[in-house]
Amino acid sequence: MTIHAFQLPSGDGWLHATLTLPPRPQARAAVLICPPLVEERKASQRAMVDGARHLAEAAACVVLRIDYRGCGDSSGMFEATGVGDWRSDTERAADWLRAAFPGLPQIRLGIRAGALLAGTEDTDASAMVIWEPVAGEAFIRQLLQRRMVNDMIAYGRARASRAALDATLKQGGSVDLDGYTVTGAQVAGLAALPLPATRLPGLVILTGADTRVQGVLSEQSPSLECVTHRLAPFWNSVGHVDTQPLAEATSQWIQKHFDTLHAISPVSLPSPVAPLEAPVTIPAREGELRAILHRPPVDPPREAFLFLGGWSGDRQGPHRLFLRFARRLAEAGHLCLRMDYRGRG
């Protein structure tokens, strides 16, 4: 198995992308992982990493994971992007994957709100896989609920009522949700996105006890096969949640429906879009460390900073704190390295 991290131009910025290749030069399909949003993306990071590696090894898939602009390690600020940008990023990644591996059927794998951005209609996608889908309106409602709960824990009271938050967003303002500055335009765009309606074959994996989602999907997307694997909410958990059942069920479904192995050639990765902010791989005693190196525009650098995440953290830090701080430090002339520990991030 081979893993490449690179930058993919998209719109007015670039996407951080990770490509995982099967151990042999043959593949059944190309899988594009569409990640969740806000802190759900951070909590789901390990599920995406382990899932990509499992699909590459067990199902002989080429797997591409991306961060949308304003999210993860990609360029831009979250509050300056929106649904249109994230859907455009998804199609940009899909186009690159199709050009890099011609002839491979493409599968979109959307996780939580990522399923709303997968955009499988009117595309060349061959199938769709969804892990724990959520409609846009329900997603926003859950973010607001988490805001109220977090306020009660931190301050003993809600800093603003639910009605006040709703009013601010409807008037075009912004509020802090999940540690991100979420704008009214983003909320309106997400709230308008229902659960996916598709004619493509596919698999939906549900992890909770709520059966309403399955009922809606069965009615509007009867080509999707629904299965349930009861798990803790891996997209909203600080502790470790074993998501291996999700990867295994996905791998089995792909092997069942895509049984032809296609020869694949070595891929040519795009040239760095932001050479002063580059993914690096550091050899370790056992395995490798993945990191992002931020170089200042001056030489020599003033000082060097090493970012070390907490137990449940990764190289981006909570709410992209490490990433935003490293970019500021680099602009001020400092060298910064953000790394993931082995088995984390």
Side-chain angles (χ1 to χ4, degrees):
M1 182 176 61
T2 305
I3 300 174
H4 300 288
F6 59 98
Q7 296 164 342
L8 184 63
S10 184
D12 56 357
W14 48 268
L15 313 178
H16 179 82
T18 304
L19 181 68
T20 305
L21 299 174
R24 292 178 296 276
Q26 294 177 311
R28 282 187 169 84
V31 178
L32 173 60
I33 295 181
C34 303
L37 293 171
V38 293
E39 284 297 88
E40 290 193 0
R41 179 238 173 262
K42 173 177 172 285
S44 302
Q45 172 73 358
R46 213 42 228 187
M48 292 189 288
V49 171
D50 292 341
R53 294 176 180 177
H54 183 87
L55 292 177
E57 291 186 343
C61 288
V62 170
V63 185
L64 181 66
R65 293 186 290 114
I66 62 166
D67 289 330
Y68 315 113
R69 280 172 291 169
C71 304
D73 282 315
S74 292
S75 67
M77 297 295 289
F78 178 81
E79 58 268 27
T81 57
V83 169
D85 300 303
W86 303 327
R87 280 190 155 176
S88 175
D89 294 340
T90 300
E91 294 308 318
R92 175 68 182 94
D95 289 343
W96 181 86
L97 191 57
R98 192 175 299 110
F101 301 95
L104 281 185
Q106 188 175 115
I107 302 170
R108 306 282 178 92
L109 196 168
I111 303 173
R112 293 285 289 167
L116 309 179
L117 307 172
T120 55
E121 292 301 321
D122 301 321
T123 71
D124 292 333
S126 299
M128 185 174 189
V129 175
I130 307 173
W131 290 2
E132 191 55 33
V134 60
E137 189 173 6
F139 176 60
I140 296 301
R141 183 172 64 252
Q142 291 168 16
L143 289 183
L144 288 166
Q145 290 171 345
R146 287 208 288 268
R147 159 68 187 263
M148 307 301 286
V149 170
N150 290 338
D151 275 4
M152 292 299 296
I153 294 173
Y155 306 102
R157 61 179 178 83
R159 290 177 294 166
S161 68
R162 172 68 181 273
L165 295 175
D166 286 336
T168 298
L169 292 168
K170 288 178 180 178
Q171 293 168 7
S174 59
V175 299
D176 182 298
L177 296 179
D178 238 11
Y180 287 75
T181 301
V182 178
T183 67
Q186 290 172 327
V187 167
L190 287 166
L193 298 179
L195 289 169
T198 181
R199 294 182 296 273
L200 294 175
L203 175 69
V204 178
I205 305 180
L206 305 172
T207 62
D210 191 343
T211 60
R212 289 173 294 181
V213 169
Q214 182 174 353
V216 172
L217 286 173
S218 297
E219 181 177 347
Q220 65 188 30
S221 299
S223 59
L224 298 179
E225 175 187 345
C226 290
V227 299
T228 299
H229 288 276
R230 293 292 174 82
L231 297 176
F234 65 89
W235 65 91
N236 186 31
S237 176
V238 174
H240 173 68
V241 178
D242 183 7
T243 56
Q244 184 71 4
L246 307 185
E248 290 177 350
T250 302
S251 174
Q252 292 168 7
W253 189 90
I254 291 175
Q255 292 180 75
K256 177 181 176 181
H257 291 83
F258 296 88
D259 56 1
T260 301
L261 286 173
H262 307 261
I264 56 175
S265 302
V267 63
S268 178
L269 302 178
S271 300
V273 182
L276 295 181
E277 184 175 328
V280 295
T281 299
I282 304 171
R285 183 176 299 175
E286 296 178 3
E288 299 173 330
L289 306 180
R290 305 286 171 175
I292 303 291
L293 182 65
H294 298 255
R295 297 184 179 90
V298 297
D299 191 28
R302 293 173 58 187
E303 294 169 317
F305 287 80
L306 176 62
F307 286 74
L308 303 173
W311 171 246
S312 65
D314 61 12
R315 67 187 181 220
Q316 293 158 22
H319 328 308
R320 301 179 89 205
L321 176 64
F322 283 2
L323 176 139
R324 290 184 283 125
F325 190 26
R327 286 177 176 171
R328 284 197 175 190
L329 287 172
E331 289 175 359
H334 304 285
L335 185 72
C336 299
L337 183 70
R338 296 183 291 113
M339 57 162 279
D340 284 330
Y341 306 113
R342 284 175 291 171
R344 307 296 298 182

